[in-house]
């Protein structure tokens, strides 16, 4: 193996300065020395891991401080280095980021508890500086990519955890590429049999689709050139394997019902050009009714923008075509993280935390998460609530004033009431959902408008615990009912109820 060289990291950066180069070189040499006597399970020198984490970070456009923290991320946990050493040698920000991704000591915490408490620590750090989570995701990506060297039971655990926590986190941050890569690297270890099935399905189906796409690609290339478009890019995008698996599961594993295994993507300069291209596309091929989605005029609640359409391309075939601008493409690849890593002119940011307004908008939920997790003492409850309330699939419901309330899929009218205000929750009697009267246990429908009806005399009952899905609402109800959440608590409540 050729010796590692920090130049290979710097080369991936956009316009690195002399200072950036210097910082990264020093971090690399420092980490190399610190891990000198360690090896990975693969037998390679340990530095290969932080080096690859740094490559991933540089590849997604991280700044020099983040990349350096990536190089140093395991030094405090695994070697004799202390945080103050890092702060002295580098700076406070780099030390802060390294601290954020360092797991808690094994002496104080054990097993699952240590693991969950380390996650909590990560979130607290991430609320202060989002770059901490970007480092953790890059770390996780390299770890799942090298799972073949780990014992089988551990492989499965790490892969499942990646699918349940880290990939959804990347998704919530709008880092869709990272999400796809994390999922596809974990998939074979988490569900080996299903993985093989999906690979085989995609292979047969994929071959014929590629042929068709090539033909359409050539037609588009000519048409756009004829219409004087310059600087456009057309490429194929093949659906990520895990995401294809999820879709197959929703469609009885019937591959023929899925027409977006691969899609053509047209990337142009401006938003206006997106609509011009859409016109051209629909002029050549007949659009499939109901499949045109204008996420430019109506962005997805997580900010995603693009036009999606599906067209008939002859012989009963349907092809999905996505049209977007370069800015939208960049956003789709790197998401919220890109706002935090770059300023408006595309230059890497140096200020810790990045653009405050964007941060507030994109990752408001992180702050909610921090506030709320303070109340939860039990590690197992935290992990459960994290999965159900925060990183589960989300739906978006509107208040009558048009404010958006984000909730986990499966949430009910009562969850919505509590999400608005605990007082409204406590006195809710029913609601109007898109004008129709519904009961408190009715499941919310995405993008509906919900108006809660309250009555002063109404108050929570034990039954309400079955109505709600979010941990947040459950906690409120339990607090009001004065029960602690376990059986003795419920018993206490019943006793109280009957002796009143
Ligand atoms: Mn690591």
């Amino acid at each position: 193996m050729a010796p590692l060289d920090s130049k290979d990291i710097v080369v991936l950066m956009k316009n690195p300065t002399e200072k950036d180069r210097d910082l990264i070189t020093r971090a690399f040499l420092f980490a190399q020395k610190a891990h000198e006597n360690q090896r990975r399970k693969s037998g390679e020198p340990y530095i290969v891991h932080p080096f690859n984490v740094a490559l991933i970070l540089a590849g997604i456009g991280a700044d020099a401080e983040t990349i350096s923290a990536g190089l140093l991320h395991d030094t405090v946990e695994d070697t004799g280095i202390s945080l103050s050493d890092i702060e002295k040698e580098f700076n406070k920000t780099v030390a802060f980021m390294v601290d954020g991704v360092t797991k808690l000591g094994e002496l104080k915490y054990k097993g699952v508890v240590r693991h969950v408490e380390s996650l909590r620590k990560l979130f607290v750090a991430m609320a202060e500086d989002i770059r901490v989570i970007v480092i953790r995701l890059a770390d996780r990506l390299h770890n799942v990519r090298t799972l073949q060297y780990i014992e089988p039971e551990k492989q499965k655990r790490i892969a499942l955890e990646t699918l349940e926590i880290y990939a959804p986190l990347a998704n919530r941050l709008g880092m869709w590429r990272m999400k796809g890569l994390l999922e596809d690297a974990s998939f074979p270890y988490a569900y080996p049999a299903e993985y093989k099935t999906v690979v085989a399905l995609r292979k047969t189906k994929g071959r014929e689709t590629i042929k068709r796409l090539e033909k359409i690609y050539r037609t588009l290339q000519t048409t756009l050139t004829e219409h004087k478009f310059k600087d456009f890019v057309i490429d194929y995008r093949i659906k990520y394997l895990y995401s294809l698996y999820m879709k197959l599961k929703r469609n009885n594993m019937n591959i023929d019902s899925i027409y977006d295994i691969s899609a053509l993507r047209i990337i142009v300069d401006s938003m206006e050009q997106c609509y011009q291209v859409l016109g051209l596309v629909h002029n050549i091929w007949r659009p499939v009714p109901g499949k045109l989605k204008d996420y430019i005029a109506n962005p997805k609640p997580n900010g995603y923008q693009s036009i999606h359409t599906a067209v008939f391309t002859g012989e009963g075939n349907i092809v999905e075509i996505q049209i977007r601008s370069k800015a939208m493409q960049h956003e789709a690849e790197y998401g919220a993280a890109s706002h935090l890593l770059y300023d408006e002119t595309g230059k890497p940011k140096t200020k810790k935390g990045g653009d405050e307004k964007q941060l507030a908008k994109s990752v408001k939920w992180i702050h909610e998460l921090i506030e709320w997790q303070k109340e939860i003492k039990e590690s197992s409850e935290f992990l459960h609530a994290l999965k159900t309330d925060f990183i589960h699939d989300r739906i978006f419901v509107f208040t009558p004033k048009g404010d958006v309330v984000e909730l986990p899929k499966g949430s009910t009218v009562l969850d919505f009431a509590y999400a608005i205000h605990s007082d409204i929750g406590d006195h809710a009697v029913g609601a109007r959902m898109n004008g129709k009267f519904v009961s408190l246990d009715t499941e919310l429908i995405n993008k509906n408008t919900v108006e809660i009806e309250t009555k002063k005399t109404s108050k929570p009952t034990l039954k309400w615990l079955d109505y709600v899905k979010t941990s947040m609402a459950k906690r409120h109800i339990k607090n009001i009912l004065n029960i602690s959440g376990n059986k003795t608590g419920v018993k206490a409540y019943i006793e109280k109820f009957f002796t009143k």
Side-chain angles (χ1 to χ4, degrees), residues 40 46 49 53 73-74 136 139 143:
R40 291 205 98 206
Y46 194 87
H49 168 61
V53 170
H73 82 271
D74 276 332
R136 171 56 86 218
D139 173 41
N143 283 336

Side-chain angles (χ1 to χ4, degrees), residues 215-227:
K215 221 173 112 195
I216 298 163
Y217 174 89
R218 282 194 298 273
T219 312
L220 279 171
Q221 195 81 29
T222 330
T223 313
L224 292 188
T225 312
E226 274 170 15
H227 285 82

